[in-house]
Amino acid sequence: MLNRPGEPLRIRGNYGSPYSLKMRAVLRYRRIPFQWVPQGSKWDDLPPFPLIPAISFPEVNGSGGDTMIDSSPLIARLEREYSERSVVPTDAVVAFIDFLLEDFADEWVTKMMYHYRWYYDDAIDRARKLLPLDGDQQMSENKWQASQRYISERQIGRRALVGSTEQNRAPIEDSFKRVLDIMQRHLEHHPFLLGQRPGRGDFGLFGQMIELLRWDPESVRIGIERAPRMVNWVERVDDLSWWDVEGDEGWVTHDAIQPTVLALLPEIGRTYAPFLLANEAAMEVGAETFSCVIDGHPYSQGTFVYQRKCLKWIREEYAKLSANDRRDVDALLAGTGCEILFTA
Ligand SMILES: N[C@@H](CCC(=O)N[C@@H](CS)C(=O)NCC(=O)O)C(=O)O
């Protein structure tokens, strides 16, 4: 079915999917009318895609509707097509930091999410029982049992590819705890990462963290212990349609980014930056797996084409900065370990 002018966007997702909840939260905050379509349900008539979320855009002036995936490019498209309540900071330096934070959340914090969902037995038990019901609450008992087996075997089988292994446990879990500690401090004084309004980094972090802090038993327990403010934050960011913003107001200027947000940069430099470079180097020689040192621990996983693309996108955003803005970004990144993204 093609959308017609005036119809809402349609978003295919499920409740266990961090990127689906990320995009639903963006649409809610931006007050863009949408209809939620549970993936694989009887209501799901969107064209097939390998990933969720997918968003189906209405037809405008006979242009033909279309459907696309991938949350970051989707956010960029929504920015082009809807002007109110933007999630991109107006200061190019702040926007670059926001872009980097979103990517860190999407690609590194997601490892925490996958790990806490598919590594611990009680988490696996919960996920395998609940996830199949997203698409069909009235699923027959037999089908439900079969779906549980299928999903848990498949996801457990992919742990090593994503990086959730005994060897990588310390770098992933330690990073989760440090991010929680930083956010607990940050949220003591500020509602969002970069001012009085949420940016793309907030939504990226929200998507992963709502799963970690509301779903998966071990990470929920750690969250309550270390970062109750963050647990509450994810509930709030899920629906910010009520949050008032005036035009372009509310963003921090680049010389006023909070120290608690700047504290996330060395976290990126300690974990995600060496990961991205090692993945890129492995892809260049056609390796299927790679090893590197993250936060002093040996770390190995399968090479990821998509994450090489992420590194390219980060470099493109950096290249787009004016000379002055780049100088300011360099000053913010100096000594964080993130510099290697641009100098290697
Ligand atoms: N880069 C994509 C990632 C989306 C993604 O990985 N989605 C997961 C669910 S959260 C998925 O659909 N995985 C395919 C599968 O499990 O079959 C985005 O930002 O939207």
Side-chain angles (χ1 to χ4, degrees), residues 177 180-181 184 213 218-229 231:
K177 290 172 190 164
L180 286 184
D181 292 348
Q184 173 70 4
L213 299 178
E218 179 65 8
S219 49
V220 168
R221 190 188 60 72
I222 298 169
I224 296 286
E225 191 178 289
R226 302 182 86 106
R229 292 178 202 276
V231 176

PDB file of all heavy atoms in Angstrom, residues 177 180-181 184 213 218-229 231:
ATOM      1  N   LYS A 177      29.554   0.554  32.487  1.00  0.00           N
ATOM      2  CA  LYS A 177      29.512   1.147  33.836  1.00  0.00           C
ATOM      3  C   LYS A 177      30.058   2.577  33.826  1.00  0.00           C
ATOM      4  O   LYS A 177      29.516   3.457  34.487  1.00  0.00           O
ATOM      5  CB  LYS A 177      30.309   0.261  34.808  1.00  0.00           C
ATOM      6  CG  LYS A 177      29.587  -1.065  35.056  1.00  0.00           C
ATOM      7  CD  LYS A 177      30.438  -2.035  35.842  1.00  0.00           C
ATOM      8  CE  LYS A 177      29.763  -3.414  35.843  1.00  0.00           C
ATOM      9  NZ  LYS A 177      30.649  -4.495  36.247  1.00  0.00           N
ATOM     10  N   LEU A 180      27.445   4.876  32.345  1.00  0.00           N
ATOM     11  CA  LEU A 180      26.382   5.118  33.340  1.00  0.00           C
ATOM     12  C   LEU A 180      26.838   6.124  34.390  1.00  0.00           C
ATOM     13  O   LEU A 180      26.086   7.030  34.770  1.00  0.00           O
ATOM     14  CB  LEU A 180      25.998   3.816  34.041  1.00  0.00           C
ATOM     15  CG  LEU A 180      25.177   2.800  33.264  1.00  0.00           C
ATOM     16  CD1 LEU A 180      24.815   1.633  34.175  1.00  0.00           C
ATOM     17  CD2 LEU A 180      23.904   3.420  32.676  1.00  0.00           C
ATOM     18  N   ASP A 181      28.065   5.969  34.868  1.00  0.00           N
ATOM     19  CA  ASP A 181      28.560   6.875  35.917  1.00  0.00           C
ATOM     20  C   ASP A 181      28.621   8.314  35.408  1.00  0.00           C
ATOM     21  O   ASP A 181      28.252   9.258  36.105  1.00  0.00           O
ATOM     22  CB  ASP A 181      29.949   6.430  36.402  1.00  0.00           C
ATOM     23  CG  ASP A 181      29.887   5.094  37.157  1.00  0.00           C
ATOM     24  OD1 ASP A 181      28.764   4.655  37.491  1.00  0.00           O
ATOM     25  OD2 ASP A 181      30.960   4.498  37.403  1.00  0.00           O
ATOM     26  N   GLN A 184      25.041   9.610  35.075  1.00  0.00           N
ATOM     27  CA  GLN A 184      24.449   9.892  36.382  1.00  0.00           C
ATOM     28  C   GLN A 184      24.906  11.286  36.865  1.00  0.00           C
ATOM     29  O   GLN A 184      24.102  12.069  37.365  1.00  0.00           O
ATOM     30  CB  GLN A 184      24.847   8.796  37.386  1.00  0.00           C
ATOM     31  CG  GLN A 184      24.430   9.038  38.832  1.00  0.00           C
ATOM     32  CD  GLN A 184      22.914   8.921  39.072  1.00  0.00           C
ATOM     33  OE1 GLN A 184      22.141   8.576  38.177  1.00  0.00           O
ATOM     34  NE2 GLN A 184      22.487   9.225  40.286  1.00  0.00           N
ATOM     35  N   LEU A 213      18.340  -0.595  30.235  1.00  0.00           N
ATOM     36  CA  LEU A 213      17.915  -0.164  31.572  1.00  0.00           C
ATOM     37  C   LEU A 213      16.469  -0.522  31.891  1.00  0.00           C
ATOM     38  O   LEU A 213      16.024  -0.356  33.024  1.00  0.00           O
ATOM     39  CB  LEU A 213      18.130   1.352  31.721  1.00  0.00           C
ATOM     40  CG  LEU A 213      19.599   1.785  31.582  1.00  0.00           C
ATOM     41  CD1 LEU A 213      19.713   3.298  31.689  1.00  0.00           C
ATOM     42  CD2 LEU A 213      20.478   1.118  32.635  1.00  0.00           C
ATOM     43  N   GLU A 218      20.312  -8.104  33.994  1.00  0.00           N
ATOM     44  CA  GLU A 218      21.589  -7.765  34.604  1.00  0.00           C
ATOM     45  C   GLU A 218      21.912  -6.270  34.428  1.00  0.00           C
ATOM     46  O   GLU A 218      22.344  -5.587  35.355  1.00  0.00           O
ATOM     47  CB  GLU A 218      22.699  -8.647  33.993  1.00  0.00           C
ATOM     48  CG  GLU A 218      24.099  -8.409  34.508  1.00  0.00           C
ATOM     49  CD  GLU A 218      24.280  -8.762  35.994  1.00  0.00           C
ATOM     50  OE1 GLU A 218      23.362  -9.338  36.607  1.00  0.00           O
ATOM     51  OE2 GLU A 218      25.361  -8.410  36.528  1.00  0.00           O
ATOM     52  N   SER A 219      21.662  -5.755  33.231  1.00  0.00           N
ATOM     53  CA  SER A 219      21.952  -4.336  33.003  1.00  0.00           C
ATOM     54  C   SER A 219      20.941  -3.441  33.736  1.00  0.00           C
ATOM     55  O   SER A 219      21.298  -2.341  34.185  1.00  0.00           O
ATOM     56  CB  SER A 219      22.002  -4.015  31.511  1.00  0.00           C
ATOM     57  OG  SER A 219      20.879  -4.534  30.844  1.00  0.00           O
ATOM     58  N   VAL A 220      19.705  -3.906  33.886  1.00  0.00           N
ATOM     59  CA  VAL A 220      18.729  -3.132  34.671  1.00  0.00           C
ATOM     60  C   VAL A 220      19.235  -3.011  36.112  1.00  0.00           C
ATOM     61  O   VAL A 220      19.227  -1.932  36.713  1.00  0.00           O
ATOM     62  CB  VAL A 220      17.336  -3.818  34.663  1.00  0.00           C
ATOM     63  CG1 VAL A 220      16.411  -3.198  35.711  1.00  0.00           C
ATOM     64  CG2 VAL A 220      16.702  -3.728  33.287  1.00  0.00           C
ATOM     65  N   ARG A 221      19.719  -4.132  36.642  1.00  0.00           N
ATOM     66  CA  ARG A 221      20.214  -4.143  38.029  1.00  0.00           C
ATOM     67  C   ARG A 221      21.392  -3.174  38.195  1.00  0.00           C
ATOM     68  O   ARG A 221      21.420  -2.361  39.121  1.00  0.00           O
ATOM     69  CB  ARG A 221      20.655  -5.580  38.379  1.00  0.00           C
ATOM     70  CG  ARG A 221      20.971  -5.816  39.838  1.00  0.00           C
ATOM     71  CD  ARG A 221      21.587  -7.189  40.063  1.00  0.00           C
ATOM     72  NE  ARG A 221      22.843  -7.397  39.345  1.00  0.00           N
ATOM     73  CZ  ARG A 221      24.000  -6.822  39.663  1.00  0.00           C
ATOM     74  NH1 ARG A 221      24.074  -5.983  40.673  1.00  0.00           N
ATOM     75  NH2 ARG A 221      25.098  -7.071  38.960  1.00  0.00           N
ATOM     76  N   ILE A 222      22.332  -3.214  37.251  1.00  0.00           N
ATOM     77  CA  ILE A 222      23.495  -2.328  37.326  1.00  0.00           C
ATOM     78  C   ILE A 222      23.051  -0.865  37.188  1.00  0.00           C
ATOM     79  O   ILE A 222      23.553   0.022  37.863  1.00  0.00           O
ATOM     80  CB  ILE A 222      24.530  -2.696  36.231  1.00  0.00           C
ATOM     81  CG1 ILE A 222      25.045  -4.121  36.459  1.00  0.00           C
ATOM     82  CG2 ILE A 222      25.687  -1.704  36.207  1.00  0.00           C
ATOM     83  CD1 ILE A 222      25.870  -4.675  35.299  1.00  0.00           C
ATOM     84  N   GLY A 223      22.081  -0.653  36.304  1.00  0.00           N
ATOM     85  CA  GLY A 223      21.585   0.713  36.075  1.00  0.00           C
ATOM     86  C   GLY A 223      20.964   1.314  37.322  1.00  0.00           C
ATOM     87  O   GLY A 223      21.247   2.461  37.692  1.00  0.00           O
ATOM     88  N   ILE A 224      20.132   0.540  37.998  1.00  0.00           N
ATOM     89  CA  ILE A 224      19.484   1.038  39.216  1.00  0.00           C
ATOM     90  C   ILE A 224      20.540   1.333  40.278  1.00  0.00           C
ATOM     91  O   ILE A 224      20.463   2.327  41.012  1.00  0.00           O
ATOM     92  CB  ILE A 224      18.479  -0.009  39.774  1.00  0.00           C
ATOM     93  CG1 ILE A 224      17.337  -0.241  38.795  1.00  0.00           C
ATOM     94  CG2 ILE A 224      17.951   0.398  41.159  1.00  0.00           C
ATOM     95  CD1 ILE A 224      16.326   0.872  38.725  1.00  0.00           C
ATOM     96  N   GLU A 225      21.550   0.482  40.314  1.00  0.00           N
ATOM     97  CA  GLU A 225      22.604   0.644  41.319  1.00  0.00           C
ATOM     98  C   GLU A 225      23.452   1.893  41.047  1.00  0.00           C
ATOM     99  O   GLU A 225      23.751   2.655  41.941  1.00  0.00           O
ATOM    100  CB  GLU A 225      23.485  -0.606  41.231  1.00  0.00           C
ATOM    101  CG  GLU A 225      24.498  -0.806  42.320  1.00  0.00           C
ATOM    102  CD  GLU A 225      25.218  -2.135  42.041  1.00  0.00           C
ATOM    103  OE1 GLU A 225      24.583  -3.201  42.208  1.00  0.00           O
ATOM    104  OE2 GLU A 225      26.389  -2.085  41.625  1.00  0.00           O
ATOM    105  N   ARG A 226      23.825   2.104  39.771  1.00  0.00           N
ATOM    106  CA  ARG A 226      24.807   3.154  39.476  1.00  0.00           C
ATOM    107  C   ARG A 226      24.199   4.434  38.935  1.00  0.00           C
ATOM    108  O   ARG A 226      24.809   5.505  39.078  1.00  0.00           O
ATOM    109  CB  ARG A 226      25.825   2.657  38.446  1.00  0.00           C
ATOM    110  CG  ARG A 226      26.571   1.434  38.857  1.00  0.00           C
ATOM    111  CD  ARG A 226      27.567   1.057  37.791  1.00  0.00           C
ATOM    112  NE  ARG A 226      28.829   1.754  37.936  1.00  0.00           N
ATOM    113  CZ  ARG A 226      29.940   1.172  38.388  1.00  0.00           C
ATOM    114  NH1 ARG A 226      29.934  -0.081  38.754  1.00  0.00           N
ATOM    115  NH2 ARG A 226      31.055   1.878  38.459  1.00  0.00           N
ATOM    116  N   ALA A 227      23.071   4.336  38.219  1.00  0.00           N
ATOM    117  CA  ALA A 227      22.594   5.524  37.496  1.00  0.00           C
ATOM    118  C   ALA A 227      21.067   5.612  37.455  1.00  0.00           C
ATOM    119  O   ALA A 227      20.465   5.604  36.390  1.00  0.00           O
ATOM    120  CB  ALA A 227      23.152   5.502  36.073  1.00  0.00           C
ATOM    121  N   PRO A 228      20.448   5.748  38.643  1.00  0.00           N
ATOM    122  CA  PRO A 228      18.979   5.855  38.634  1.00  0.00           C
ATOM    123  C   PRO A 228      18.466   7.033  37.814  1.00  0.00           C
ATOM    124  O   PRO A 228      17.387   6.947  37.206  1.00  0.00           O
ATOM    125  CB  PRO A 228      18.617   6.033  40.120  1.00  0.00           C
ATOM    126  CG  PRO A 228      19.881   5.930  40.896  1.00  0.00           C
ATOM    127  CD  PRO A 228      21.029   5.696  39.980  1.00  0.00           C
ATOM    128  N   ARG A 229      19.249   8.111  37.766  1.00  0.00           N
ATOM    129  CA  ARG A 229      18.782   9.261  36.956  1.00  0.00           C
ATOM    130  C   ARG A 229      18.684   8.865  35.484  1.00  0.00           C
ATOM    131  O   ARG A 229      17.820   9.342  34.752  1.00  0.00           O
ATOM    132  CB  ARG A 229      19.759  10.444  37.071  1.00  0.00           C
ATOM    133  CG  ARG A 229      19.792  11.082  38.436  1.00  0.00           C
ATOM    134  CD  ARG A 229      20.823  12.207  38.439  1.00  0.00           C
ATOM    135  NE  ARG A 229      21.257  12.490  39.789  1.00  0.00           N
ATOM    136  CZ  ARG A 229      20.603  13.296  40.635  1.00  0.00           C
ATOM    137  NH1 ARG A 229      19.508  13.899  40.250  1.00  0.00           N
ATOM    138  NH2 ARG A 229      21.060  13.486  41.858  1.00  0.00           N
ATOM    139  N   VAL A 231      18.097   5.820  34.373  1.00  0.00           N
ATOM    140  CA  VAL A 231      16.950   4.921  34.228  1.00  0.00           C
ATOM    141  C   VAL A 231      15.690   5.773  34.020  1.00  0.00           C
ATOM    142  O   VAL A 231      14.856   5.501  33.150  1.00  0.00           O
ATOM    143  CB  VAL A 231      16.797   4.003  35.463  1.00  0.00           C
ATOM    144  CG1 VAL A 231      15.554   3.136  35.348  1.00  0.00           C
ATOM    145  CG2 VAL A 231      18.052   3.140  35.644  1.00  0.00           C
TER     146      VAL A 231
END
